[in-house]
Amino acid sequence: MTSFDFINIIGTAAFTLAGYLVGVRKRLDMLGVLICALLTATGGGMVRDVLVGRTPMIFVEYAPLAVIAVTLAAAYLFKLQHTQKKVLAQAFVWADSLGLVAFTLIGAQVGKSGCFTI
């Protein structure tokens, strides 16, 4: 496992948690929370990969889906949906910040590797 893979797992888990918290705050049902978490965790990486001419990782590997499933299960088992609104807001800020840092590092690494097709 490379540092690139480890940072990708951290970013995916953080954005999954951020999407879960948004879905819970908006009082969505289970399917809505799942879709919100899935799109938040994978959307940016898919756009990045398409822009640089790569096949999005979510279509090639199962690891991102496994990370999303484990993160959603952990969030549900720890009953994050029943915590106070102030705590949920703080958790969202932390998860979103961690995800932004992780995916910024990955985006810089992808750009540095010269995967662009012009």
Side-chain angles (χ1 to χ4, degrees):
M1 175 182 271
T2 65
S3 62
F4 183 80
D5 294 333
F6 183 68
I7 293 171
N8 193 23
I9 289 170
I10 290 172
T12 302
F15 273 140
T16 301
L17 185 60
Y20 175 85
L21 294 173
V22 168
V24 166
R25 187 175 64 209
K26 298 292 183 181
R27 303 185 61 111
L28 299 176
D29 62 351
M30 291 292 278
L31 181 62
V33 171
L34 174 71
I35 290 170
C36 191
L38 185 67
L39 289 177
T40 304
T42 62
M46 287 186 350
V47 170
R48 178 203 62 226
D49 288 343
V50 167
L51 287 176
V52 298
R54 296 184 345 174
T55 303
M57 186 185 300
I58 193 80
F59 297 141
V60 179
E61 297 180 13
Y62 71 90
L65 290 176
V67 170
I68 291 168
V70 167
T71 305
L72 284 173
Y76 185 76
L77 290 175
F78 286 123
K79 299 186 187 297
L80 291 181
Q81 65 273 16
H82 296 303
T83 56
Q84 297 173 348
K85 287 184 179 183
K86 186 175 181 180
V87 174
L88 286 177
Q90 290 175 344
F92 171 77
V93 169
W94 279 99
D96 197 48
S97 299
L98 182 62
L100 285 172
V101 168
F103 283 149
T104 298
L105 292 172
I106 291 172
Q109 185 66 29
V110 168
K112 181 181 169 188
S113 67
C115 295
F116 296 103
T117 56
I118 298 176

